[in-house]
Amino acid sequence: MAKKKIYIIDDDHDVIDAMTIVLEKNNYEVAAQYDDENVVENVKAQMPDVIILDVMFPEDSSAGFNIARQLKSHDDLQRIPILMLSAINERGIYVGRFSNKDLDESFLPVNLFLEKPLKPAALLEKVASLIGK
Amino acid sequence: METANIAIVGAGKGGYECLKVLLTTPNVLIKYVCDIDPNAKGVMLAKQHKISYVARLSEFIHDPEVDLIFESTGRPEVFEELSRAKLPTTSLVGSGGTRVIFSLLDSYNEVNRSLRSYKMNLERRIIERTEELEKLNTELSKEKAATERLYEQQREINEEKSRYLIHTTHQLKAPFAAIHNYVDIILDGYAGPLAQETRDLVLKIKTRCELLSETILDMLELARLKAQDLELVREDVDLCAVVNDVVERFAVSAAAKRLLVRVDAPKEPLIARTVGKRLFELLAVLLENAVKYSPPDGSIEIAMKVASDGKRVISIMDHGIGIPEANLGKIFREFFRSNNAVRFEPNGNGLGLAIAGEIANLLDITIEVESELEKGTTFHVRI
Ligand SMILES: Nc1ncnc2c1ncn2[C@@H]1O[C@H](COP(=O)(O)OP(=O)(O)OP(=O)(O)O)[C@@H](O)[C@H]1O
Ligand SMILES: [Mg+2]
């Protein structure tokens, strides 16, 4: 069976490297980009099985949300599941040190959220669940 | 009252006194002063006041304007001559009567004078007071303006500080998360098998990482609260429900220490207009501390009631290590941890109560604390 392909969009190369180590060890093929430019074209070229997307980019704090909407508005891309990395405590997703962090997923066209800092096991579990769908 | 025209006969000692009193009596016009001695004391005074001086009775006795003659020579023959010669419309008062009248007049004048001076004093004091008040007022408004300026400056500085803090903590978070990632990857064996000693050390790094990321989140939370960079939508909140949520949140950590958390809640919902999420956070800080600073196998009591002033009061009581009296005033400070707490539980960043205090501030809640060392602590939250 061909390896499943994961495409990562994150501005932090260490975060990308760490995920790449975990994913490659678990038989995924990984491609990535470090900025928020030409995302739609790049994803079209890669046609990954899962997209991992960071919420924040240095130049635009809501770039992640916009990218997600762009991807979901393309007919041939919208079926690709998106796993969004939500740096906790950002834009009210995490609302306090004791809140139960349940997320309102309806307001964003993404399929799953994953908290930073990432736990390898959680990453693998979420990726697997998205591919299984 | 009509003015009475008066003539005084005899300007010696008695006449002089009469004159003096009459000069200060209202509604009186002294028309003549009569004495054969042009150098008599009363004559001098009369001249000073431009009163007509006459030497003989005949010079004024037929003046119909004279209403009243005061005879003050004390000589009977003068009185007799006056009563004979005076017009019937003119009244005559002899020496005896004159003395009585004058002593009366004198006291009347005295009373009048005191009244006048009292009134003047009063007016003066009113003026003085008004001036004082005005001065105070201008000083006050100057002070108020200065205070407002100071307050404004302080607000700006605080905002700047909070913005800076929010920014820095944000900046800290990303690199820190990256370190944390790598630690997890190493521990999960992605970098090859680990010797036990290495694993122990990396685990220590991981623990510190977790504590530090908690600190960073708390600092960010605190900065946001301070910058009031949060939506505060007040609603009718059922306090019993919030308390139950908080208890549930700490059920596992309480159970791990075999601590029984008892909630004494009223039967009916206890409603308060506040921000539920923030209140949850505030109470969570307090219950977290109660669990954290209690030895195993004990209990924590939470009571709810309506105080006599209508405020809702939630009390969280533990039987733990207590807070030294000298530190009671410091526990809401950022990063403050009491030595007895650090000895008992080394992990903590001292931001919990700072956050709780900031939330209380925003929601007009007061937190009171009672504590006895090694006996326990109670926090009362008044909403
Ligand atoms: N229930 C309690 N019993 C005893 N001491 C307490 C209690 N609650 C607070 N304290 C004292 O107040 C200090 C400050 O509390 P705070 O919750 O702000 O910080 P912390 O618990 O030390 O750390 P953290 O930020 O992790 O909560 C504590 O270190 C402790 O000394
Ligand atoms: Mg605490």
Side-chain angles (χ1 to χ4, degrees):
Chain A
M1 201 174 98
K3 280 187 180 179
K4 298 286 183 188
K5 193 191 267 180
I6 316 289
Y7 192 66
I8 306 175
I9 309 158
D10 194 309
D11 66 307
D12 189 322
H13 61 91
D14 274 321
V15 171
I16 292 182
D17 286 357
M19 283 194 284
T20 305
I21 294 173
V22 174
L23 292 168
E24 284 182 346
K25 279 258 158 113
N26 285 278
N27 267 319
Y28 292 101
E29 191 185 322
V30 181
Q33 72 174 75
Y34 298 88
D35 54 36
D36 56 351
E37 282 165 28
N38 307 321
V39 176
V40 172
E41 290 79 350
N42 294 341
V43 171
K44 271 188 182 157
Q46 296 282 345
M47 287 314 277
D49 297 285
V50 172
I51 297 166
I52 297 179
L53 174 61
D54 191 16
V55 180
M56 290 253 287
F57 284 85
E59 281 182 18
D60 175 1
S61 60
S62 55
F65 293 115
N66 296 334
I67 292 170
R69 286 196 196 98
Q70 274 176 39
L71 291 171
K72 289 292 181 186
S73 64
H74 275 260
D75 284 346
D76 36 349
L77 300 182
Q78 65 179 348
R79 54 160 195 87
I80 307 175
I82 299 176
L83 175 60
M84 182 161 259
L85 302 177
S86 73
I88 35 180
N89 223 339
E90 228 94 70
R91 61 198 65 261
I93 288 174
Y94 173 93
V95 280
R97 78 187 217 153
F98 297 106
S99 58
N100 30 13
K101 297 166 198 158
D102 52 340
L103 305 167
D104 176 11
E105 295 182 17
S106 60
F107 85 112
L108 247 185
V110 299
N111 304 74
L112 271 182
F113 281 92
L114 183 59
E115 256 171 32
K116 276 181 175 180
L118 310 162
K119 303 264 179 281
L123 172 66
L124 291 171
E125 186 202 308
K126 296 219 167 171
V127 168
S129 82
L130 287 175
I131 284 175
K133 268 183 193 172
Chain B
M1 207 208 247
E2 238 172 79
T3 305
N5 292 313
I6 290 175
I8 298 173
V9 179
K13 198 167 177 306
Y16 173 79
E17 295 300 330
C18 279
L19 188 56
K20 246 174 59 186
V21 172
L22 285 174
L23 278 170
T24 59
T25 306
N27 304 313
V28 158
L29 181 79
I30 306 161
K31 235 182 149 187
Y32 305 100
V33 169
C34 171
D35 200 303
I36 31 171
D37 177 5
N39 295 317
K41 215 173 161 193
V43 175
M44 296 309 176
L45 186 62
K47 284 183 176 158
Q48 275 169 31
H49 288 88
K50 311 233 164 10
I51 298 169
S52 323
Y53 159 70
V54 290
R56 270 183 296 268
L57 302 181
S58 56
E59 286 177 57
F60 73 90
I61 199 79
H62 299 299
D63 182 344
E65 281 185 3
V66 174
D67 300 308
L68 185 59
I69 301 169
F70 283 118
E71 192 281 308
S72 59
T73 62
R75 302 220 299 267
E77 63 275 21
V78 176
F79 182 77
E80 265 160 41
E81 193 184 340
L82 278 169
S83 27
R84 244 184 291 114
K86 73 169 183 68
L87 295 174
T89 50
T90 306
S91 312
L92 171 66
V93 181
S95 297
T98 303
R99 265 199 300 279
V100 174
I101 287 174
F102 279 98
S103 73
L104 278 175
L105 259 182
D106 205 21
S107 27
Y108 166 79
N109 283 343
E110 186 55 42
V111 169
N112 246 347
R113 253 197 308 280
S114 338
L115 269 177
R116 226 185 355 257
S117 77
Y118 177 73
K119 204 174 132 211
M120 263 160 59
N121 263 337
L122 210 67
E123 276 166 5
R124 205 180 52 236
R125 288 195 42 201
I126 289 173
I127 291 171
E128 275 171 16
R129 278 309 169 90
T130 314
E131 277 169 1
E132 269 170 38
L133 271 176
E134 271 166 9
K135 223 168 87 188
L136 264 176
N137 250 341
T138 42
E139 270 166 26
L140 262 180
S141 51
K142 264 189 221 150
E143 251 170 55
K144 200 169 145 235
T147 320
E148 270 165 12
R149 258 200 311 281
L150 265 178
Y151 185 77
E152 181 62 21
Q153 275 169 6
Q154 207 181 24
R155 213 176 46 83
E156 276 167 19
I157 292 171
N158 276 341
E159 262 175 22
E160 180 67 38
K161 218 172 79 184
S162 302
R163 263 200 306 278
Y164 175 76
L165 217 83
I166 290 175
H167 186 76
T168 341
T169 33
H170 262 303
Q171 295 295 87
L172 277 175
K173 248 172 36 193
F176 188 68
I179 297 173
H180 209 160
N181 284 344
Y182 283 129
V183 168
D184 280 332
I185 288 171
I186 293 170
L187 282 172
D188 283 6
Y190 285 99
L194 288 182
Q196 191 56 45
E197 290 92 335
T198 318
R199 169 170 293 275
D200 289 347
L201 290 178
V202 179
L203 270 172
K204 286 191 178 171
I205 298 177
K206 183 177 161 69
T207 307
R208 294 307 288 261
C209 274
E210 274 161 3
L211 284 174
L212 188 52
S213 56
E214 240 168 65
T215 309
I216 292 173
L217 291 181
D218 282 353
M219 279 169 66
L220 194 52
E221 176 77 1
L222 196 57
R224 286 205 163 138
L225 285 167
K226 286 198 170 169
Q228 314 207 340
D229 179 26
L230 293 160
E231 256 184 277
L232 292 180
V233 186
R234 283 173 206 251
E235 300 162 320
D236 283 338
V237 174
D238 178 12
L239 301 182
C240 303
V242 178
V243 166
N244 286 335
D245 287 350
V246 175
V247 171
E248 191 153 307
R249 169 70 181 72
F250 290 99
V252 174
S253 45
K257 291 177 90 174
R258 292 179 305 280
L259 289 169
L260 183 65
V261 182
R262 274 198 293 261
V263 181
D264 179 14
K267 297 242 166 4
E268 319 76 49
L270 195 60
I271 306 294
R273 197 145 186 92
T274 186
V275 184
K277 249 181 206 163
R278 298 287 151 202
L279 181 64
F280 174 93
E281 253 189 293
L282 187 161
L283 295 173
V285 167
L286 300 182
L287 187 56
E288 184 193 48
N289 284 343
V291 171
K292 189 168 173 179
Y293 300 115
S294 289
D297 298 305
S299 66
I300 292 164
E301 284 86 35
I302 303 178
M304 281 177 264
K305 63 165 190 192
V306 181
S308 51
D309 60 358
K311 295 242 158 121
R312 274 65 174 145
V313 185
I314 300 174
S315 305
I316 300 180
M317 181 197 281
D318 67 51
H319 309 280
I321 60 170
I323 304 165
E325 203 180 332
N327 290 341
L328 280 178
K330 303 181 190 162
I331 54 174
F332 287 92
R333 290 185 195 161
E334 289 155 38
F335 301 109
F336 177 82
R337 301 196 68 210
S338 180
N339 281 337
N340 68 324
V342 177
R343 275 194 301 273
F344 189 78
E345 170 56 62
N347 290 339
N349 59 40
L351 287 175
L353 285 180
I355 290 175
E358 213 50 61
I359 293 172
N361 212 2
L362 288 176
L363 301 185
D364 303 313
I365 290 174
T366 55
I367 305 177
E368 288 152 23
V369 53
E370 293 169 49
S371 188
E372 198 176 332
L373 211 52
E374 275 148 37
K375 289 265 162 58
T377 307
T378 306
F379 283 90
H380 302 284
V381 179
R382 298 167 62 84
I383 303 156

